[in-house]
Amino acid sequence: MERGAATAAAAFGFALRSSPAPSHSRAPSSASQWRPLLRSRRGPPGAPRPLPPTVRLLSQNRLQGMKKGQSRNALKTFCSSGHPGVSLNNEDLVNDKLLIDCGEDQDCVLGGIVALGKFDALHIGHRELAMHASKAGTPFLLSFVGMAEVLGWTYRPPIVAQCDRKRVLSTWAPYCRNVVPLEYQVEFSKVRNLTPRQFVERLSKDLRIKGVVAGENYRFGYKASGDAAELVKLCEEFGLSAFIVRSVMDTAKRSHNGAADTINSSDKGQVSSSRVRHALAMGDMEYVSELLGRKHRLVLKVNESCLHERETITLPNSCTLNMPPAEGLYENCDLISRGYLGPCRVTINSDTIIIEMKDADILSTNPIQDIQQLGIEFG
């Protein structure tokens, strides 16, 4: 998952580790190679269910009969009963709206299939979750925010600027049956004390979704007591579909830059936001592009501290709205504003970012004073 996942899972509630399935920036033809591990289909208990050729379906009875370590696909089932949590009879909790960026009636994801996770980097594994959600219905991302504040983590800039997330999601449409998945946020503090059962119940009754998609390493509920197998079990109980997707593995294996080494206790070689951060910290932008399935875009807020001299723009590092790569010179970059401005080279220092346009006339026809934000895409 993310930084401190193992510590958070042991000491706090609702730790998330959603590591989804494949595809790089090529066409989504890899779906046939990456099948959901577990799938729950809505229907009466005990009703016969066919086995689709592209889906491996495990019944509730088989889940309960699995032994830990039995096979790669075997997942241990945890029962939420016996774990302390906040009762849904608590009036303050029930009246607390789950989605922080949706209206009072909380119908933004009504009838949809929601992918569960933190989605910091919006990398190729996250995209694969959205792709599987689109196969079952209208896809949504349900992102959990505010974990760092609750768990006491040191602040880190986001990998994707908040103002740039909709643009990134719009590029996923070709993988999601030409539908742009919409993202809604859940404040982590509102759900961290819920048991697995209470969480799924709120998804079902409060948000009235049709189903969920999660990665095989996904954990949820009070003190991370629920895993993917229990998610399937609980969704079946509440009449929801559940799709558990294999992790997208990092096939680049670039151990030379430190990014492919074990990052935390949950790292098993899968594509993750932590790997993206390591690659950015090493300045390996080709590797970053492979993990993201796109070029990394650094978004800069233009203000009075911005200096413009002919073909050069200089901004303080405080203008960055998301994580920049390591200090150094980067050739073959592109400058973006309301549209494409042109090719450039970028120098990142400890206190400034210097953008040198390869065409000196571009900035004369696009005055920097009229621009509020700039984007740098690293080739």
Side-chain angles (χ1 to χ4, degrees), residues 128-153:
E128 193 76 4
L129 285 183
M131 187 178 80
H132 278 283
S134 71
K135 292 179 179 179
T138 304
F140 295 95
L141 300 188
L142 208 59
S143 301
F144 297 88
V145 298
M147 293 181 67
E149 293 80 0
V150 172
L151 302 180
W153 294 343

Side-chain angles (χ1 to χ4, degrees), residues 175-247:
Y175 300 87
C176 298
R177 303 194 174 192
N178 294 319
V179 175
V180 176
L182 299 180
E183 180 181 32
Y184 292 96
Q185 297 181 334
V186 175
E187 185 63 46
F188 178 66
S189 61
K190 294 182 180 180
V191 298
R192 65 172 299 201
N193 291 318
L194 298 180
T195 64
R197 178 180 299 278
Q198 290 169 343
F199 175 66
V200 175
E201 183 177 7
R202 294 205 67 179
L203 292 180
S204 174
K205 295 184 178 180
D206 293 8
L207 301 187
R208 294 157 288 166
I209 62 173
K210 180 182 176 182
V212 301
V213 175
E216 62 181 321
N217 296 320
Y218 181 75
R219 299 198 69 90
F220 67 110
Y222 185 76
K223 291 189 176 180
S225 55
D227 64 359
E230 184 163 11
L231 180 64
V232 171
K233 173 185 171 183
L234 290 171
C235 284
E236 192 169 275
E237 179 180 331
F238 284 97
L240 303 177
S241 298
F243 304 87
I244 305 304
V245 182
R246 291 185 188 274
S247 299

Side-chain angles (χ1 to χ4, degrees), residues 75-321:
L75 298 173
K76 183 178 180 182
T77 303
F78 292 86
C79 180
S80 61
S81 59
H83 291 285
V86 178
S87 171
L88 286 181
N89 292 327
N90 184 315
E91 184 176 353
D92 292 336
L93 181 62
V94 173
N95 291 335
D96 197 16
K97 302 302 182 185
L98 205 57
L99 301 181
I100 61 177
D101 48 357
C102 187
E104 285 295 317
D105 47 10
Q106 296 282 282
D107 61 354
C108 296
V109 295
L110 176 67
I113 306 295
V114 298
L116 302 171
K118 189 168 180 288
F119 303 117
D120 182 14
L122 294 177
H123 53 61
I124 57 174
H126 295 150
R127 186 180 70 192
E128 193 76 4
L129 285 183
M131 187 178 80
H132 278 283
S134 71
K135 292 179 179 179
T138 304
F140 295 95
L141 300 188
L142 208 59
S143 301
F144 297 88
V145 298
M147 293 181 67
E149 293 80 0
V150 172
L151 302 180
W153 294 343
T154 302
Y155 170 78
R156 299 182 303 181
I159 296 173
V160 181
Q162 184 63 37
C163 60
D164 197 35
R165 294 182 69 84
K166 288 185 178 180
R167 179 195 67 84
V168 173
L169 291 176
S170 70
T171 67
W172 291 6
Y175 300 87
C176 298
R177 303 194 174 192
N178 294 319
V179 175
V180 176
L182 299 180
E183 180 181 32
Y184 292 96
Q185 297 181 334
V186 175
E187 185 63 46
F188 178 66
S189 61
K190 294 182 180 180
V191 298
R192 65 172 299 201
N193 291 318
L194 298 180
T195 64
R197 178 180 299 278
Q198 290 169 343
F199 175 66
V200 175
E201 183 177 7
R202 294 205 67 179
L203 292 180
S204 174
K205 295 184 178 180
D206 293 8
L207 301 187
R208 294 157 288 166
I209 62 173
K210 180 182 176 182
V212 301
V213 175
E216 62 181 321
N217 296 320
Y218 181 75
R219 299 198 69 90
F220 67 110
Y222 185 76
K223 291 189 176 180
S225 55
D227 64 359
E230 184 163 11
L231 180 64
V232 171
K233 173 185 171 183
L234 290 171
C235 284
E236 192 169 275
E237 179 180 331
F238 284 97
L240 303 177
S241 298
F243 304 87
I244 305 304
V245 182
R246 291 185 188 274
S247 299
V248 179
M249 304 310 291
D250 178 10
T251 57
K253 299 180 181 178
R254 300 196 181 191
S255 58
H256 66 277
N257 65 11
D261 294 337
T262 298
I263 293 171
N264 54 48
S265 61
S266 66
D267 181 75
K268 297 179 177 62
Q270 73 270 24
V271 173
S272 66
S273 296
S274 294
R275 283 179 180 258
V276 176
R277 286 189 182 277
H278 276 251
L280 280 170
M282 297 303 297
D284 190 342
M285 302 314 295
E286 181 182 357
Y287 185 32
V288 171
S289 296
E290 291 177 6
L291 295 171
L292 296 178
R294 64 181 185 278
K295 294 181 179 179
H296 178 64
R297 179 178 292 193
L298 177 65
V299 181
L300 303 154
K301 184 177 181 181
V302 178
N303 54 33
E304 62 278 359
S305 60
C306 174
L307 299 178
H308 172 208
E309 298 178 358
R310 300 176 64 180
E311 73 274 12
T312 302
I313 303 172
T314 304
L315 302 100
N317 284 351
S318 58
C319 291
T320 59
L321 298 183

Side-chain angles (χ1 to χ4, degrees), residues 2-11 17 264-266:
E2 295 295 321
R3 162 188 51 163
T7 302
R17 292 183 299 181
N264 54 48
S265 61
S266 66

Side-chain angles (χ1 to χ4, degrees), residues 313 334-344 355 357-359 361-363 365-368 371 373-375:
I313 303 172
D334 294 298
L335 190 64
I336 313 291
S337 180
R338 301 180 186 90
Y340 179 72
L341 292 182
C344 63
I355 305 168
M357 303 303 299
K358 295 184 178 180
D359 183 350
D361 296 329
I362 289 178
L363 295 181
T365 57
N366 296 274
I368 196 69
I371 298 175
Q373 287 183 352
L374 289 172

Side-chain angles (χ1 to χ4, degrees), residues 45-66:
R49 284 172 260 175
L51 294 175
T54 60
V55 176
R56 182 170 185 174
L57 176 65
L58 301 181
S59 69
Q60 181 175 335
N61 290 336
R62 183 175 175 185
L63 286 173
Q64 293 173 335
M66 281 184 172

